[in-house]
Amino acid sequence: MSIFEYIIPFVVGLGLLILIHELGHYSVARWCDVKVLRFSVGFGRPLFKWRAGKDGTEWVLALFPLGGYVKMLDEREGEVAAAELPRAFTQQSVWRRFAIVAAGPLANLLLAVLLYWVVFVGGVDELRARVEVTSPESVAAQAGFSSGDEIIQVGDVPIRSWQDWRWRLLKAVLDEPTIDVVVVSADGVRVTRRLSLNGITIDEAKNDPVAQLGFRPYRPMIPPVVGDIVAGGAADRAGLRVGDRVVAIDQKRIEDWSDLVERVSAAPGQPMQFEWLRDGARSEGVLTPEPVDRDGKLVGRVGIMVAPLAEGREAMFVTVSHGPIEGLVKAVAQTWEMSTFSLAMIGRMVTGELSWKNLSGPVTIADYAGQSAKMGLDHYLKFLALISISLGVLNLLPIPVLDGGHLLYYVIEMLRGGPVPERVMEIGQQVGFALLVMLMAFAFYNDINRLISG
Protein backbone atom coordinates (compact mmCIF):
# COMPACT_ATOMS: atom_id res chain seq x y z
CA MET A 1 0.00 0.00 0.00
CA SER A 2 1.20 3.55 -0.72
CA ILE A 3 1.27 6.17 2.03
CA PHE A 4 -1.88 7.74 0.58
CA GLU A 5 -3.78 4.50 1.15
CA TYR A 6 -3.14 5.09 4.85
CA ILE A 7 -3.47 8.88 4.97
CA ILE A 8 -6.77 9.17 3.08
CA PRO A 9 -8.77 6.71 5.26
CA PHE A 10 -7.18 8.32 8.35
CA VAL A 11 -7.97 11.92 7.41
CA VAL A 12 -11.48 11.14 6.12
CA GLY A 13 -12.31 9.05 9.19
CA LEU A 14 -10.85 11.46 11.74
CA GLY A 15 -12.50 14.40 9.98
CA LEU A 16 -15.89 12.68 10.20
CA LEU A 17 -15.47 11.92 13.91
CA ILE A 18 -14.41 15.49 14.70
CA LEU A 19 -17.31 16.86 12.62
CA ILE A 20 -19.82 14.72 14.54
CA HIS A 21 -18.27 15.71 17.87
CA GLU A 22 -18.47 19.43 17.14
CA LEU A 23 -21.97 19.08 15.65
CA GLY A 24 -23.01 17.67 19.03
CA HIS A 25 -21.83 20.84 20.77
CA TYR A 26 -23.27 23.06 18.03
CA SER A 27 -26.71 21.44 17.92
CA VAL A 28 -27.33 21.64 21.66
CA ALA A 29 -25.93 25.20 21.77
CA ARG A 30 -28.43 26.23 19.08
CA TRP A 31 -31.22 24.40 20.93
CA CYS A 32 -30.31 26.47 24.02
CA ASP A 33 -30.31 29.65 21.83
CA VAL A 34 -26.60 30.29 22.39
CA LYS A 35 -24.99 32.27 19.58
CA VAL A 36 -22.30 30.31 17.72
CA LEU A 37 -19.57 32.50 16.20
CA ARG A 38 -17.39 29.84 14.56
CA PHE A 39 -17.51 26.14 13.77
CA SER A 40 -14.05 24.78 12.89
CA VAL A 41 -12.90 21.31 11.85
CA GLY A 42 -9.14 21.37 12.33
CA PHE A 43 -6.74 23.96 13.73
CA GLY A 44 -4.37 26.48 12.20
CA ARG A 45 -4.70 28.35 8.92
CA PRO A 46 -8.18 28.04 7.34
CA LEU A 47 -8.24 26.22 4.01
CA PHE A 48 -11.90 27.07 3.37
CA LYS A 49 -14.33 29.27 5.26
CA TRP A 50 -17.78 30.69 4.68
CA ARG A 51 -20.63 32.24 6.66
CA ALA A 52 -24.14 30.86 6.91
CA GLY A 53 -27.24 31.01 9.12
CA LYS A 54 -29.11 33.86 10.76
CA ASP A 55 -26.21 34.51 13.15
CA GLY A 56 -23.61 34.54 10.36
CA THR A 57 -21.72 31.61 11.89
CA GLU A 58 -18.29 31.20 10.31
CA TRP A 59 -17.71 27.64 9.09
CA VAL A 60 -14.03 26.70 8.78
CA LEU A 61 -12.02 23.76 7.44
CA ALA A 62 -8.49 24.28 8.80
CA LEU A 63 -5.07 22.92 7.91
CA PHE A 64 -4.41 20.50 10.80
CA PRO A 65 -7.22 17.94 11.14
CA LEU A 66 -6.30 16.67 14.66
CA GLY A 67 -9.17 18.42 16.42
CA GLY A 68 -11.79 21.14 16.09
CA TYR A 69 -13.86 23.57 18.11
CA VAL A 70 -17.13 25.49 18.35
CA LYS A 71 -16.65 29.11 19.42
CA MET A 72 -19.68 30.60 21.17
CA LEU A 73 -20.52 34.11 22.34
CA ASP A 74 -18.63 34.45 25.64
CA GLU A 75 -18.04 37.44 27.94
CA ARG A 76 -14.63 36.08 28.93
CA GLU A 77 -13.34 36.48 25.37
CA GLY A 78 -14.49 40.01 24.63
CA GLU A 79 -17.15 42.61 25.17
CA VAL A 80 -20.71 41.45 24.48
CA ALA A 81 -23.47 43.86 23.50
CA ALA A 82 -26.23 44.16 26.11
CA ALA A 83 -28.86 43.04 23.59
CA GLU A 84 -26.97 39.79 22.94
CA LEU A 85 -25.95 39.09 26.52
CA PRO A 86 -28.78 36.55 27.12
CA ARG A 87 -27.35 34.48 24.24
CA ALA A 88 -23.82 34.27 25.71
CA PHE A 89 -22.64 30.83 26.82
CA THR A 90 -21.61 32.16 30.25
CA GLN A 91 -25.14 33.48 30.90
CA GLN A 92 -26.75 30.06 30.57
CA SER A 93 -27.78 27.96 33.56
CA VAL A 94 -25.27 25.37 34.75
CA TRP A 95 -27.54 22.62 33.43
CA ARG A 96 -27.54 24.11 29.93
CA ARG A 97 -23.77 24.57 29.94
CA PHE A 98 -23.40 20.98 31.11
CA ALA A 99 -25.63 19.74 28.27
CA ILE A 100 -23.76 21.75 25.62
CA VAL A 101 -20.36 20.46 26.71
CA ALA A 102 -21.50 16.84 27.20
CA ALA A 103 -23.15 16.76 23.76
CA GLY A 104 -19.83 16.40 21.90
CA PRO A 105 -18.61 13.16 23.51
CA LEU A 106 -22.16 11.76 23.54
CA ALA A 107 -22.43 12.44 19.79
CA ASN A 108 -19.32 10.28 19.26
CA LEU A 109 -20.84 7.45 21.31
CA LEU A 110 -24.11 7.69 19.36
CA LEU A 111 -22.15 7.62 16.09
CA ALA A 112 -20.47 4.40 17.27
CA VAL A 113 -23.90 2.86 17.94
CA LEU A 114 -25.03 3.85 14.43
CA LEU A 115 -21.89 2.47 12.76
CA TYR A 116 -22.07 -0.82 14.67
CA TRP A 117 -25.78 -1.11 13.82
CA VAL A 118 -25.07 -0.68 10.09
CA VAL A 119 -22.38 -3.37 10.23
CA PHE A 120 -24.43 -5.80 12.35
CA VAL A 121 -27.52 -5.51 10.15
CA GLY A 122 -25.60 -5.55 6.87
CA GLY A 123 -23.50 -8.52 7.95
CA VAL A 124 -19.74 -8.96 7.98
CA ASP A 125 -17.51 -11.88 7.03
CA GLU A 126 -15.39 -12.90 10.02
CA LEU A 127 -12.84 -15.61 10.65
CA ARG A 128 -14.34 -18.57 12.46
CA ALA A 129 -13.07 -18.99 16.02
CA ARG A 130 -11.10 -22.08 15.03
CA VAL A 131 -7.75 -22.25 16.76
CA GLU A 132 -4.35 -23.61 15.98
CA VAL A 133 -2.14 -24.47 18.97
CA THR A 134 1.31 -23.05 18.39
CA SER A 135 3.35 -25.14 20.82
CA PRO A 136 2.92 -28.31 22.92
CA GLU A 137 4.37 -26.36 25.89
CA SER A 138 1.80 -23.53 25.60
CA VAL A 139 -0.97 -22.79 28.09
CA ALA A 140 -3.49 -23.76 25.40
CA ALA A 141 -1.93 -27.18 24.87
CA GLN A 142 -1.67 -27.81 28.61
CA ALA A 143 -5.41 -27.04 28.92
CA GLY A 144 -6.17 -29.73 26.33
CA PHE A 145 -6.82 -27.60 23.25
CA SER A 146 -5.95 -29.04 19.84
CA SER A 147 -5.52 -27.50 16.41
CA GLY A 148 -8.88 -27.46 14.63
CA ASP A 149 -10.97 -26.84 17.77
CA GLU A 150 -13.73 -24.29 17.15
CA ILE A 151 -14.64 -22.11 20.14
CA ILE A 152 -18.40 -21.66 20.46
CA GLN A 153 -18.81 -20.31 24.01
CA VAL A 154 -16.79 -18.67 26.81
CA GLY A 155 -18.57 -18.85 30.15
CA ASP A 156 -22.17 -18.03 29.27
CA VAL A 157 -21.21 -15.84 26.27
CA PRO A 158 -21.73 -17.38 22.78
CA ILE A 159 -18.81 -16.99 20.36
CA ARG A 160 -19.52 -16.66 16.63
CA SER A 161 -16.20 -15.42 15.25
CA TRP A 162 -12.50 -14.97 15.99
CA GLN A 163 -13.18 -11.34 16.88
CA ASP A 164 -15.79 -12.40 19.46
CA TRP A 165 -13.26 -14.83 20.96
CA ARG A 166 -10.47 -12.27 21.10
CA TRP A 167 -12.72 -9.57 22.59
CA ARG A 168 -14.07 -11.92 25.28
CA LEU A 169 -10.51 -12.97 26.12
CA LEU A 170 -9.28 -9.35 26.39
CA LYS A 171 -12.03 -8.56 28.90
CA ALA A 172 -11.34 -11.73 30.88
CA VAL A 173 -7.62 -10.96 31.18
CA LEU A 174 -8.42 -7.86 33.25
CA ASP A 175 -10.43 -9.62 35.97
CA GLU A 176 -10.75 -13.40 35.60
CA PRO A 177 -8.00 -15.88 36.62
CA THR A 178 -9.63 -18.73 34.65
CA ILE A 179 -12.34 -19.11 32.01
CA ASP A 180 -14.40 -22.07 30.84
CA VAL A 181 -14.23 -22.46 27.07
CA VAL A 182 -16.69 -24.65 25.15
CA VAL A 183 -15.29 -26.01 21.88
CA VAL A 184 -16.30 -28.36 19.11
CA SER A 185 -13.25 -30.48 18.33
CA ALA A 186 -12.06 -31.33 14.83
CA ASP A 187 -13.92 -34.66 15.04
CA GLY A 188 -17.20 -32.98 16.07
CA VAL A 189 -17.15 -33.61 19.85
CA ARG A 190 -18.41 -30.81 22.13
CA VAL A 191 -16.21 -30.37 25.21
CA THR A 192 -15.53 -27.74 27.90
CA ARG A 193 -11.94 -26.82 28.74
CA ARG A 194 -10.71 -24.62 31.59
CA LEU A 195 -8.10 -22.04 30.56
CA SER A 196 -5.81 -20.34 33.08
CA LEU A 197 -5.07 -16.65 32.46
CA ASN A 198 -2.45 -16.25 35.20
CA GLY A 199 0.48 -14.22 33.93
CA ILE A 200 -1.32 -13.16 30.73
CA THR A 201 -1.21 -9.39 30.22
CA ILE A 202 -2.40 -6.72 27.82
CA ASP A 203 0.90 -5.14 26.90
CA GLU A 204 2.18 -3.81 23.57
CA ALA A 205 5.66 -4.97 24.59
CA LYS A 206 4.44 -8.57 24.55
CA ASN A 207 2.39 -10.64 22.16
CA ASP A 208 -1.36 -10.34 21.93
CA PRO A 209 -3.01 -12.25 24.87
CA VAL A 210 -4.31 -14.82 22.37
CA ALA A 211 -0.75 -15.49 21.22
CA GLN A 212 0.58 -15.51 24.80
CA LEU A 213 -1.77 -18.42 25.51
CA GLY A 214 -0.47 -20.30 22.47
CA PHE A 215 -3.34 -19.73 20.03
CA ARG A 216 -3.46 -18.39 16.50
CA PRO A 217 -6.20 -18.55 13.84
CA TYR A 218 -6.55 -22.02 12.38
CA ARG A 219 -4.92 -22.39 9.00
CA PRO A 220 -5.53 -25.64 7.15
CA MET A 221 -2.64 -27.24 5.36
CA ILE A 222 -2.63 -25.74 1.87
CA PRO A 223 -1.09 -28.15 -0.65
CA PRO A 224 1.41 -26.52 -3.06
CA VAL A 225 -0.81 -27.16 -6.08
CA VAL A 226 -0.87 -24.65 -8.94
CA GLY A 227 -4.33 -23.14 -9.44
CA ASP A 228 -3.54 -20.52 -12.09
CA ILE A 229 -0.52 -19.29 -14.04
CA VAL A 230 0.41 -15.80 -15.21
CA ALA A 231 1.00 -15.93 -18.95
CA GLY A 232 4.63 -15.21 -19.81
CA GLY A 233 5.77 -15.41 -16.19
CA ALA A 234 8.70 -17.46 -14.87
CA ALA A 235 6.51 -20.50 -14.11
CA ASP A 236 4.85 -20.39 -17.53
CA ARG A 237 8.21 -20.20 -19.29
CA ALA A 238 9.54 -23.15 -17.25
CA GLY A 239 6.61 -25.37 -18.26
CA LEU A 240 4.53 -25.47 -15.07
CA ARG A 241 0.80 -26.06 -15.67
CA VAL A 242 -2.43 -25.81 -13.70
CA GLY A 243 -2.76 -28.83 -11.40
CA ASP A 244 0.97 -29.42 -10.99
CA ARG A 245 2.12 -30.05 -7.40
CA VAL A 246 5.46 -28.49 -6.43
CA VAL A 247 7.37 -31.01 -4.31
CA ALA A 248 10.81 -29.42 -3.91
CA ILE A 249 12.77 -26.22 -4.43
CA ASP A 250 16.56 -26.43 -4.55
CA GLN A 251 16.25 -30.06 -3.34
CA LYS A 252 14.37 -28.97 -0.18
CA ARG A 253 10.96 -30.61 0.22
CA ILE A 254 7.85 -28.42 -0.06
CA GLU A 255 4.86 -29.60 2.02
CA ASP A 256 2.73 -26.45 2.22
CA TRP A 257 1.93 -23.49 -0.02
CA SER A 258 3.31 -21.08 2.59
CA ASP A 259 6.72 -22.81 2.33
CA LEU A 260 6.71 -22.18 -1.41
CA VAL A 261 5.73 -18.51 -1.01
CA GLU A 262 8.34 -17.92 1.69
CA ARG A 263 11.20 -19.36 -0.35
CA VAL A 264 10.25 -17.65 -3.60
CA SER A 265 9.67 -14.28 -1.90
CA ALA A 266 13.11 -14.41 -0.30
CA ALA A 267 14.93 -14.99 -3.62
CA PRO A 268 14.16 -12.18 -6.11
CA GLY A 269 16.29 -12.55 -9.22
CA GLN A 270 17.94 -15.80 -8.02
CA PRO A 271 17.60 -18.97 -10.14
CA MET A 272 15.82 -21.78 -8.26
CA GLN A 273 15.54 -25.49 -9.11
CA PHE A 274 11.85 -26.49 -8.99
CA GLU A 275 10.57 -30.07 -8.98
CA TRP A 276 6.90 -30.90 -9.51
CA LEU A 277 4.52 -33.79 -10.08
CA ARG A 278 2.06 -34.05 -12.98
CA ASP A 279 -0.11 -37.17 -13.26
CA GLY A 280 2.43 -39.06 -11.14
CA ALA A 281 5.37 -38.11 -13.35
CA ARG A 282 8.18 -35.97 -11.93
CA SER A 283 9.48 -32.92 -13.84
CA GLU A 284 11.92 -30.16 -13.03
CA GLY A 285 13.07 -26.79 -14.27
CA VAL A 286 14.89 -23.62 -13.29
CA LEU A 287 12.72 -20.62 -12.37
CA THR A 288 14.08 -17.14 -11.65
CA PRO A 289 11.65 -15.15 -9.45
CA GLU A 290 10.94 -11.70 -10.85
CA PRO A 291 11.73 -8.86 -8.39
CA VAL A 292 8.56 -7.02 -7.30
CA ASP A 293 8.38 -4.02 -4.96
CA ARG A 294 6.22 -4.66 -1.88
CA ASP A 295 6.09 -1.76 0.59
CA GLY A 296 9.60 -0.67 -0.33
CA LYS A 297 11.11 -4.17 -0.25
CA LEU A 298 11.97 -6.37 -3.23
CA VAL A 299 10.35 -9.81 -3.14
CA GLY A 300 10.30 -12.64 -5.67
CA ARG A 301 7.33 -13.73 -7.81
CA VAL A 302 7.14 -16.64 -10.28
CA GLY A 303 3.58 -16.08 -11.51
CA ILE A 304 1.54 -18.91 -9.97
CA MET A 305 -1.56 -18.89 -7.75
CA VAL A 306 -2.78 -21.48 -5.31
CA ALA A 307 -5.53 -23.95 -6.18
CA PRO A 308 -8.85 -23.54 -4.31
CA LEU A 309 -8.95 -25.21 -0.89
CA ALA A 310 -10.86 -28.47 -0.66
CA GLU A 311 -12.33 -27.31 2.69
CA GLY A 312 -13.87 -24.26 1.03
CA ARG A 313 -14.36 -20.75 2.31
CA GLU A 314 -17.18 -21.73 4.67
CA ALA A 315 -14.71 -23.78 6.72
CA MET A 316 -12.68 -20.63 7.41
CA PHE A 317 -15.24 -17.80 7.49
CA VAL A 318 -18.69 -17.11 8.90
CA THR A 319 -21.07 -14.29 7.97
CA VAL A 320 -22.28 -12.59 11.16
CA SER A 321 -25.52 -10.59 10.75
CA HIS A 322 -28.52 -9.56 12.87
CA GLY A 323 -32.04 -8.21 12.41
CA PRO A 324 -32.69 -4.45 12.85
CA ILE A 325 -33.85 -4.63 16.50
CA GLU A 326 -31.34 -7.29 17.54
CA GLY A 327 -28.64 -5.32 15.71
CA LEU A 328 -29.52 -2.13 17.60
CA VAL A 329 -29.45 -3.90 20.96
CA LYS A 330 -26.09 -5.45 20.12
CA ALA A 331 -24.73 -2.10 18.83
CA VAL A 332 -25.66 -0.37 22.10
CA ALA A 333 -24.17 -3.25 24.13
CA GLN A 334 -20.96 -3.23 22.06
CA THR A 335 -20.56 0.53 22.48
CA TRP A 336 -21.12 0.25 26.23
CA GLU A 337 -18.67 -2.66 26.58
CA MET A 338 -15.99 -0.91 24.55
CA SER A 339 -16.46 2.32 26.55
CA THR A 340 -16.15 0.61 29.94
CA PHE A 341 -13.22 -1.46 28.69
CA SER A 342 -11.43 1.70 27.54
CA LEU A 343 -12.01 3.32 30.94
CA ALA A 344 -10.72 0.20 32.71
CA MET A 345 -7.59 0.23 30.53
CA ILE A 346 -6.96 3.92 31.26
CA GLY A 347 -7.51 3.35 34.98
CA ARG A 348 -5.02 0.49 35.08
CA MET A 349 -2.44 2.51 33.17
CA VAL A 350 -2.82 5.31 35.74
CA THR A 351 -2.37 2.87 38.64
CA GLY A 352 0.58 1.16 36.95
CA GLU A 353 -1.15 -2.20 36.45
CA LEU A 354 -0.82 -1.83 32.68
CA SER A 355 2.02 -0.38 30.65
CA TRP A 356 1.76 3.03 29.01
CA LYS A 357 3.10 1.30 25.91
CA ASN A 358 -0.53 0.39 25.18
CA LEU A 359 -1.19 4.06 24.35
CA SER A 360 -1.36 4.72 20.60
CA GLY A 361 -0.95 7.93 18.64
CA PRO A 362 -1.93 9.16 15.17
CA VAL A 363 0.68 7.08 13.32
CA THR A 364 -0.67 3.81 14.70
CA ILE A 365 -4.26 4.95 14.14
CA ALA A 366 -3.43 5.84 10.53
CA ASP A 367 -1.88 2.39 10.08
CA TYR A 368 -5.04 0.68 11.35
CA ALA A 369 -7.19 3.00 9.23
CA GLY A 370 -5.38 1.93 6.06
CA GLN A 371 -5.43 -1.75 6.96
CA SER A 372 -9.15 -1.76 7.83
CA ALA A 373 -10.05 0.17 4.66
CA LYS A 374 -8.15 -2.40 2.59
CA MET A 375 -10.13 -5.20 4.27
CA GLY A 376 -13.47 -3.71 3.21
CA LEU A 377 -16.14 -1.16 4.14
CA ASP A 378 -17.56 -3.21 7.01
CA HIS A 379 -14.16 -3.46 8.73
CA TYR A 380 -13.49 0.25 8.15
CA LEU A 381 -16.84 1.18 9.74
CA LYS A 382 -16.01 -0.97 12.77
CA PHE A 383 -12.65 0.77 13.01
CA LEU A 384 -14.38 4.17 12.89
CA ALA A 385 -16.80 3.05 15.61
CA LEU A 386 -13.90 2.04 17.84
CA ILE A 387 -12.05 5.34 17.32
CA SER A 388 -15.29 7.29 17.87
CA ILE A 389 -15.72 5.53 21.22
CA SER A 390 -12.12 6.30 22.14
CA LEU A 391 -12.63 9.97 21.25
CA GLY A 392 -15.84 10.14 23.27
CA VAL A 393 -14.36 8.41 26.33
CA LEU A 394 -11.15 10.46 26.21
CA ASN A 395 -13.09 13.72 26.13
CA LEU A 396 -15.18 12.66 29.13
CA LEU A 397 -12.11 12.21 31.34
CA PRO A 398 -12.10 14.80 34.18
CA ILE A 399 -9.02 16.58 32.84
CA PRO A 400 -9.22 20.37 32.54
CA VAL A 401 -8.96 21.47 28.87
CA LEU A 402 -11.03 18.43 27.84
CA ASP A 403 -14.84 18.39 27.90
CA GLY A 404 -14.75 16.18 30.99
CA GLY A 405 -12.78 18.82 32.89
CA HIS A 406 -15.45 21.43 32.19
CA LEU A 407 -18.15 18.96 33.24
CA LEU A 408 -16.27 18.46 36.52
CA TYR A 409 -16.34 22.23 37.10
CA TYR A 410 -20.09 22.28 36.49
CA VAL A 411 -20.70 19.41 38.92
CA ILE A 412 -18.71 21.30 41.57
CA GLU A 413 -20.76 24.42 40.76
CA MET A 414 -24.00 22.48 41.25
CA LEU A 415 -22.78 21.14 44.62
CA ARG A 416 -21.41 24.41 46.03
CA GLY A 417 -24.16 26.62 44.60
CA GLY A 418 -21.76 28.90 42.73
CA PRO A 419 -19.11 28.84 40.00
CA VAL A 420 -15.60 27.59 40.56
CA PRO A 421 -13.23 30.52 41.27
CA GLU A 422 -11.44 31.83 38.18
CA ARG A 423 -8.00 31.28 39.73
CA VAL A 424 -8.78 27.62 40.41
CA MET A 425 -9.94 27.19 36.82
CA GLU A 426 -6.77 28.83 35.49
CA ILE A 427 -4.55 26.49 37.51
CA GLY A 428 -6.69 23.56 36.43
CA GLN A 429 -6.31 24.54 32.77
CA GLN A 430 -2.53 24.71 33.12
CA VAL A 431 -2.37 21.31 34.82
CA GLY A 432 -4.76 19.82 32.26
CA PHE A 433 -2.75 21.19 29.36
CA ALA A 434 0.45 19.71 30.85
CA LEU A 435 -1.24 16.31 31.26
CA LEU A 436 -2.51 16.42 27.68
CA VAL A 437 0.94 17.26 26.33
CA MET A 438 2.39 14.38 28.37
CA LEU A 439 -0.19 11.95 26.98
CA MET A 440 0.51 13.11 23.43
CA ALA A 441 4.26 12.74 24.01
CA PHE A 442 3.76 9.15 25.25
CA ALA A 443 1.57 8.35 22.26
CA PHE A 444 4.05 9.76 19.72
CA TYR A 445 6.94 7.99 21.46
CA ASN A 446 5.09 4.68 21.27
CA ASP A 447 4.30 5.27 17.60
CA ILE A 448 7.94 5.99 16.77
CA ASN A 449 9.11 3.03 18.83
CA ARG A 450 6.73 0.72 16.94
CA LEU A 451 7.99 2.05 13.61
CA ILE A 452 11.62 1.48 14.60
CA SER A 453 10.99 -1.98 16.04
CA GLY A 454 8.72 -2.99 13.18
Side-chain angles (χ1 to χ4, degrees):
M1 294 178 72
S2 72
I3 190 171
F4 292 104
E5 290 177 287
Y6 292 95
I7 290 177
I8 292 174
F10 172 67
V11 172
V12 170
L14 189 62
L16 172 65
L17 302 187
I18 293 170
L19 175 65
I20 295 298
H21 181 95
E22 301 305 336
L23 278 175
H25 292 311
Y26 173 81
S27 300
V28 177
R30 289 297 306 271
W31 180 72
C32 293
D33 197 33
V34 173
K35 185 174 182 178
V36 178
L37 304 178
R38 179 181 296 163
F39 184 111
S40 178
V41 174
F43 297 111
R45 184 172 64 86
L47 299 176
F48 304 99
K49 60 180 179 179
W50 64 97
R51 293 188 179 274
K54 66 175 185 178
D55 291 329
T57 301
E58 185 180 49
W59 297 79
V60 177
L61 179 62
L63 181 61
F64 300 105
L66 300 179
Y69 62 93
V70 171
K71 182 178 181 180
M72 290 168 268
L73 193 65
D74 192 321
E75 297 168 89
R76 296 168 298 183
E77 297 185 8
E79 188 175 343
V80 177
E84 291 197 315
L85 201 56
R87 300 189 65 197
F89 176 78
T90 45
Q91 293 296 313
Q92 308 306 306
S93 69
V94 65
W95 290 103
R96 286 193 169 193
R97 282 179 277 136
F98 189 98
I100 292 169
V101 172
L106 292 179
N108 283 125
L109 297 179
L110 289 174
L111 175 63
V113 171
L114 175 62
L115 293 172
Y116 277 134
W117 181 80
V118 170
V119 171
F120 292 154
V121 172
V124 57
D125 285 343
E126 300 275 8
L127 272 176
R128 288 187 180 276
R130 295 182 72 186
V131 300
E132 187 171 307
V133 178
T134 58
S135 166
E137 292 78 33
S138 66
V139 176
Q142 298 303 314
F145 288 86
S146 300
S147 294
D149 285 350
E150 182 166 3
I151 296 167
I152 60 173
Q153 189 172 319
V154 176
D156 57 356
V157 179
I159 302 296
R160 299 181 63 183
S161 67
W162 184 267
Q163 184 171 347
D164 286 352
W165 156 237
R166 185 175 180 276
W167 170 238
R168 179 66 183 86
L169 185 59
L170 284 172
K171 291 198 297 180
V173 165
L174 292 180
D175 300 304
E176 301 175 50
T178 61
I179 53 174
D180 290 327
V181 182
V182 181
V183 306
V184 174
S185 64
D187 52 6
V189 178
R190 181 185 174 110
V191 62
T192 300
R193 298 193 172 108
R194 176 154 290 187
L195 189 63
S196 172
L197 303 181
N198 289 326
I200 305 302
T201 60
I202 301 174
D203 191 337
E204 280 286 347
K206 299 182 179 180
N207 287 329
D208 181 283
V210 178
Q212 291 178 50
L213 288 165
F215 292 113
R216 67 184 174 200
Y218 174 73
R219 188 192 68 187
M221 180 69 74
I222 305 174
V225 176
V226 178
D228 199 2
I229 296 179
V230 176
D236 185 30
R237 295 195 302 269
L240 273 164
R241 297 294 176 259
V242 172
D244 289 351
R245 181 186 181 108
V246 178
V247 295
I249 297 178
D250 291 336
Q251 299 182 337
K252 293 180 180 179
R253 190 168 180 81
I254 298 293
E255 299 283 357
D256 185 71
W257 182 264
S258 62
D259 292 339
L260 186 154
V261 172
E262 183 179 349
R263 294 189 188 182
V264 170
S265 295
Q270 301 176 26
M272 309 180 80
Q273 184 74 29
F274 271 61
E275 297 177 42
W276 62 89
L277 292 177
R278 181 186 303 160
D279 299 327
R282 199 178 191 96
S283 301
E284 60 181 47
V286 175
L287 283 74
T288 302
E290 298 170 6
V292 177
D293 181 82
R294 185 176 68 188
D295 297 331
K297 180 181 178 181
L298 285 181
V299 297
R301 292 286 185 270
V302 294
I304 56 176
M305 283 160 273
V306 66
L309 277 175
E311 289 187 79
R313 180 179 174 82
E314 63 278 0
M316 296 291 295
F317 293 90
V318 60
T319 301
V320 180
S321 62
H322 305 271
I325 302 302
E326 182 189 6
L328 179 60
V329 172
K330 184 171 174 60
V332 172
Q334 182 80 358
T335 301
W336 172 256
E337 288 182 3
M338 290 299 302
S339 300
T340 54
F341 181 77
S342 297
L343 283 173
M345 289 281 288
I346 292 170
R348 296 194 181 207
M349 282 192 283
V350 171
T351 60
E353 293 180 64
L354 288 178
S355 170
W356 285 92
K357 291 180 180 179
N358 290 289
L359 198 64
S360 297
V363 177
T364 300
I365 296 171
D367 180 29
Y368 289 153
Q371 291 185 41
S372 63
K374 187 178 181 181
M375 292 169 67
L377 180 61
D378 46 6
H379 291 280
Y380 183 59
L381 293 181
K382 289 170 71 175
F383 162 78
L384 290 182
L386 178 60
I387 300 302
S388 191
I389 290 170
S390 300
L391 185 60
V393 169
L394 178 65
N395 271 281
L396 285 173
L397 295 178
I399 299 175
V401 177
L402 298 178
D403 292 334
H406 293 289
L407 296 178
L408 177 62
Y409 291 147
Y410 300 149
V411 169
I412 295 172
E413 183 176 340
M414 293 174 196
L415 294 175
R416 72 192 297 267
V420 176
E422 286 287 335
R423 181 57 182 162
V424 172
M425 292 181 65
E426 288 176 8
I427 294 173
Q429 294 295 98
Q430 293 169 1
V431 172
F433 182 75
L435 285 172
L436 202 58
V437 170
M438 184 179 69
L439 285 173
M440 292 176 64
F442 266 115
F444 274 108
Y445 171 80
N446 288 341
D447 280 353
I448 293 169
N449 192 50
R450 289 182 190 118
L451 285 175
I452 293 173
S453 66

